[in-house]
Amino acid sequence: MNPNTRWVGLEEAVPVDVFKAEVLAWARRIGVEPREVHVRPMKKKWASCSSKGRLTFNSDLLKESAAFRREVIVHELLHLKVPNHGPLFRALLRAYLHDPT
């Protein structure tokens, strides 16, 4: 569990289909189309994005807070536009995560 997020009880955890709907809603907002969205156990990271547009999210993310899920989702989706963590990527990440709309 991410040490910077609060514990989320089982009753607050989201089902996989709700999580995938959240990913697709953000994809539309950002203007990208992931080829595949998968959720599976991962040992060392929260998510990954392949060069072919396949997003894989750690199943433990379903138990994290909505704010933390949003950060991971937006981060991975932005890699469909910008494949690195350079200045443009960081600026877009800040813009999407801090935009009140």
Side-chain angles (χ1 to χ4, degrees):
M1 186 172 203
N2 181 348
N4 296 325
T5 59
R6 66 179 178 79
W7 181 82
V8 177
L10 190 55
E11 66 278 0
E12 293 183 57
V14 295
V16 173
D17 57 340
V18 172
F19 176 79
K20 286 184 176 183
E22 188 177 0
V23 171
L24 295 177
W26 272 104
R28 282 190 300 277
R29 184 172 180 187
I30 293 170
V32 295
E33 291 186 34
R35 293 183 72 116
E36 301 174 28
V37 177
H38 298 275
V39 178
R40 67 174 184 81
M42 298 173 81
K43 291 184 186 237
K44 298 189 180 210
K45 52 187 161 181
W46 288 110
S48 66
C49 177
S50 78
S51 60
K52 296 184 182 194
R54 175 188 174 133
L55 300 178
T56 304
F57 293 94
N58 187 329
S59 54
D60 287 341
L61 196 55
L62 302 176
K63 297 179 241 168
E64 292 292 328
S65 71
F68 185 69
R69 283 196 317 271
R70 180 175 57 248
E71 286 183 40
V72 174
I73 290 168
V74 171
H75 180 111
E76 295 308 322
L77 287 169
L78 283 175
H79 279 311
L80 298 175
K81 283 187 177 234
V82 183
N84 56 53
H85 292 112
L88 175 59
F89 178 87
R90 290 191 310 269
L92 288 170
L93 188 62
R94 278 192 308 274
Y96 281 107
L97 292 177
H98 299 296
D99 181 12
T101 60

